[in-house]
């Protein structure tokens, strides 16, 4: 592993930086400002969740339309350009005094962070690596848990010291003068998998290079739709409503903070284990186990009375998040090839971002109607268990087709 990292350090670092910086557009980071934003604009849980849903859904439409740019635009140009747009959205968050500007800023935040930064990173790993794709995806995805461990602490301290609006300006500065130039330096030289003069030569299922329209017509993508939606939906709403959970359970956010560390540790461990297993046994073999930890973890929130149960719940949920990050980064190029990987990944990423969009809106409205989140979590756990059976059937059929 150390030799692999040494030989591919530049490209792995590029993936890590992209996933790490995507934190500023992720739900868990934005939720740190939720209390101040709701108070500033007079929004209820349902109103804030609905605005967030609308902004994220709009970002998914743009991602679906422009995500294929990862196939046609050099990443050394595309990634820094997205970093500057990302910075602009942070400035918008800092100066927004109307709900309209807040919504536009959220739209750009979600498009860049949740959308394009993660999309570019995973498209690059899928295209640049072949036999070691699982390891590459796992290492690049370390940026997500690294951000979850480091950034919340710094953000909370900055909000307390200088205020929430100046904190957003600080993020904009970091993206402009640090992240954008670093991405250009790391990505200025492209890479092809060893043994391939052209990275586009790696085929997918049935020896084909699948286009997005062909993938949509194939049985697999429709079958994977609920599996693609579920981790993002549940993972998002758990963090999005952490303030509400604290109020219902009588906990404080300070008491709940170690949950981030538990989540990050299990995410990293499971991502590496899943990356190794995907390379060794095939990524489709992970499907059956994917949602079971998340189902158990989210269901634990309902009966828990002690805050330590929150740590356990997030830790178990993190197992699924780590597995998912490795699984989709490996499975899509294996099934569909790499020639049109950016286009197909943009569709899959759009589906996953939609799940993060509809979650806060639906659960926020239910909270306004008197159904608290711990009660909702029981139904989410049951849903995950039912989907595990579907995943088993998908695994068996796909394994047969890949063997042909």
């Amino acid at each position: 592993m150390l030799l692999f990292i040494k030989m591919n350090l530049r490209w792995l670092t590029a993936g890590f930086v992209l996933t790490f910086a995507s934190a500023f557009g992720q739900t868990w980071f934005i939720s740190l400002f939720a209390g101040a934003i709701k108070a500033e604009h007079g929004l209820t849980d349902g109103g804030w969740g609905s605005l967030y849903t609308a902004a994220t859904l709009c970002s998914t439409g743009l991602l679906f339309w422009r995500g294929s740019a990862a196939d046609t635009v050099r990443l050394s140009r595309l990634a820094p350009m997205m970093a500057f747009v990302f910075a602009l959205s942070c400035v918008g968050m800092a100066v927004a005094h109307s709900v309209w500007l807040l919504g536009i800023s959220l739209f750009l935040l979600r498009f860049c962070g949740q959308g394009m930064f993660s999309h570019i990173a995973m498209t690059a790993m899928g295209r640049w690596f072949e036999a070691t794709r699982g390891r590459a995806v796992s290492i690049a995805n370390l940026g997500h848990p690294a951000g979850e461990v480091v950034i919340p602490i710094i953000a909370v301290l900055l909000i307390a010291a200088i205020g929430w609006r100046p904190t957003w300006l600080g993020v904009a500065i970091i993206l402009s003068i640090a992240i954008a130039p670093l991405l250009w330096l790391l990505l200025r030289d492209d890479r092809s998998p060893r043994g391939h003069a052209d990275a586009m030569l790696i085929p997918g299922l049935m020896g084909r290079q699948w286009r997005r329209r062909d993938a949509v017509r194939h049985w697999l993508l429709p079958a994977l739709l609920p599996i693609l939606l579920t981790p993002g939906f549940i993972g998002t709403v758990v963090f999005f409503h952490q303030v509400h959970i604290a109020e219902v359970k009588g906990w404080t956010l300070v008491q709940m903070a170690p949950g981030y560390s538990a989540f990050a540790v299990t995410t990293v461990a499971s991502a590496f284990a899943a990356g190794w297993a995907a390379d060794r046994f095939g990524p489709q073999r992970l499907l059956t186990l994917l949602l079971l930890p998340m189902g158990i973890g989210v269901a634990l929130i309902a009966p828990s009375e002690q805050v330590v149960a929150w740590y356990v719940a997030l830790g178990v949920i993190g197992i699924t998040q780590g597995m998912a990050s490795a699984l989709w980064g490996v499975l899509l190029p294996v099934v569909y090839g790499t020639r049109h990987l950016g286009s197909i990944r943009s569709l899959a990423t759009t589906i996953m971002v939609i799940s993060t969009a509809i979650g806060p809106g639906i659960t926020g409205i239910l909270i306004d109607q008197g159904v608290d989140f711990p009660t909702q979590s029981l139904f989410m756990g049951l849903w995950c268990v039912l989907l595990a059976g579907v995943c088993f059937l998908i695994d068996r059929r796909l394994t047969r087709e890949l063997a042909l």
Side-chain angles (χ1 to χ4, degrees):
M1 177 65 78
L2 292 177
L3 179 61
F4 171 73
I5 294 174
K6 181 179 178 180
M7 293 177 60
N8 301 282
L9 184 60
R10 168 182 286 186
W11 298 283
L12 294 173
T13 302
F16 178 90
V17 171
L18 283 163
T19 56
F20 181 86
S22 75
F24 302 121
Q26 301 284 358
T27 298
W28 61 262
F29 181 77
I30 299 171
S31 69
L32 297 175
F33 302 83
I37 291 173
K38 287 190 291 184
E40 177 81 16
H41 296 281
L43 297 170
T44 65
D45 285 307
W48 167 237
S50 297
L51 179 65
Y52 194 84
T53 292
T56 306
L57 284 175
C58 291
S59 76
T60 61
L62 184 58
L63 177 64
F64 181 76
W65 178 42
R66 297 305 304 160
S68 59
D71 292 327
T72 57
V73 180
R74 287 184 61 87
L75 298 186
S76 59
R77 294 175 53 195
L78 182 62
M81 180 175 64
M82 287 296 101
F84 286 120
V85 176
F86 206 170
L88 180 63
S89 69
C90 294
V91 173
M93 293 294 292
V95 303
H97 289 284
S98 69
V99 173
W100 284 105
L101 182 54
L102 175 64
I104 293 171
S105 301
L106 281 172
F107 156 68
L108 291 175
L109 272 179
R110 301 294 284 155
F111 172 68
C112 295
Q114 176 78 3
M116 286 300 289
F117 263 43
S118 298
H119 171 59
I120 292 170
M122 291 301 100
T123 298
M125 295 303 106
R127 182 175 294 140
W128 290 344
F129 297 89
E130 183 179 7
T132 55
R133 187 179 287 133
R135 276 182 281 176
V137 167
S138 299
I139 293 170
N141 267 316
L142 286 177
H144 289 302
E148 290 157 4
V149 170
V150 174
I151 292 177
I153 299 172
I154 298 174
V156 169
L157 292 175
L158 284 174
I159 292 169
I162 64 176
W164 69 276
R165 292 185 185 274
T167 300
W168 278 115
L169 288 176
V171 174
I173 292 171
I174 291 171
L175 287 167
S176 299
I177 68 174
I179 300 299
L182 180 58
L183 289 174
W184 179 82
L185 286 171
L186 292 170
L187 294 169
R188 68 183 187 274
D189 295 325
D190 210 340
R191 182 189 190 280
S192 294
R194 181 172 297 178
H196 289 275
D198 184 352
M200 305 301 179
L201 294 177
I202 305 173
L205 195 64
M206 296 181 284
R208 294 175 54 187
Q209 296 287 357
W210 292 70
R211 294 182 180 274
R212 186 160 64 187
R213 62 175 178 266
D214 301 320
V216 171
R217 296 190 185 103
H218 188 241
W219 70 269
L220 179 61
L221 197 57
L224 287 176
L225 184 60
I227 294 94
L228 286 165
L229 286 168
T230 297
F233 183 102
I234 295 177
T236 295
V237 297
V238 167
F239 287 113
F240 189 83
H241 292 299
Q242 59 184 310
V243 174
H244 165 75
I245 294 170
E247 293 171 351
V248 172
K249 297 293 185 179
W251 304 331
T252 67
L253 291 179
V254 174
Q255 289 176 317
M256 295 169 69
Y260 280 106
S261 298
F263 179 83
V265 168
T266 57
T267 298
V268 171
S270 62
F272 271 106
W276 171 83
D279 288 339
R280 178 68 177 81
F281 304 108
Q284 76 280 2
R285 293 298 191 185
L286 302 178
L287 282 170
T288 303
L289 300 176
L290 178 64
L291 294 176
L292 289 175
M294 176 164 278
I296 295 169
V298 72
L300 283 175
I301 296 175
S304 60
E305 296 181 0
Q306 301 299 320
V307 72
V308 68
W310 171 254
Y311 311 154
V312 175
L314 287 191
V316 179
I317 289 172
I319 295 174
T320 289
Q321 296 291 59
M323 289 177 64
S325 66
L327 172 62
W328 305 127
V330 180
L331 182 64
L332 295 179
V334 166
V335 173
Y336 299 118
T338 57
R339 184 181 298 277
H340 308 290
L341 182 60
S343 176
I344 291 174
R345 270 207 61 86
S346 71
L347 174 59
T349 304
T350 296
I351 294 170
M352 288 185 275
V353 175
I354 286 175
S355 71
T356 69
I358 61 179
I362 293 173
T363 54
I365 291 172
L366 287 173
I367 289 171
D368 283 353
Q369 296 299 314
V371 184
D372 63 34
F373 186 82
T375 301
Q376 297 178 41
S377 68
L378 289 173
F379 293 94
M380 296 180 197
L382 178 60
W383 171 254
C384 289
V385 173
L386 293 175
L387 275 187
V390 177
C391 289
F392 174 74
L393 298 176
I394 294 173
D395 170 16
R396 295 194 61 178
R397 179 172 177 180
L398 183 57
T399 298
R400 290 195 300 268
E401 293 193 6
L402 287 171
L404 296 177

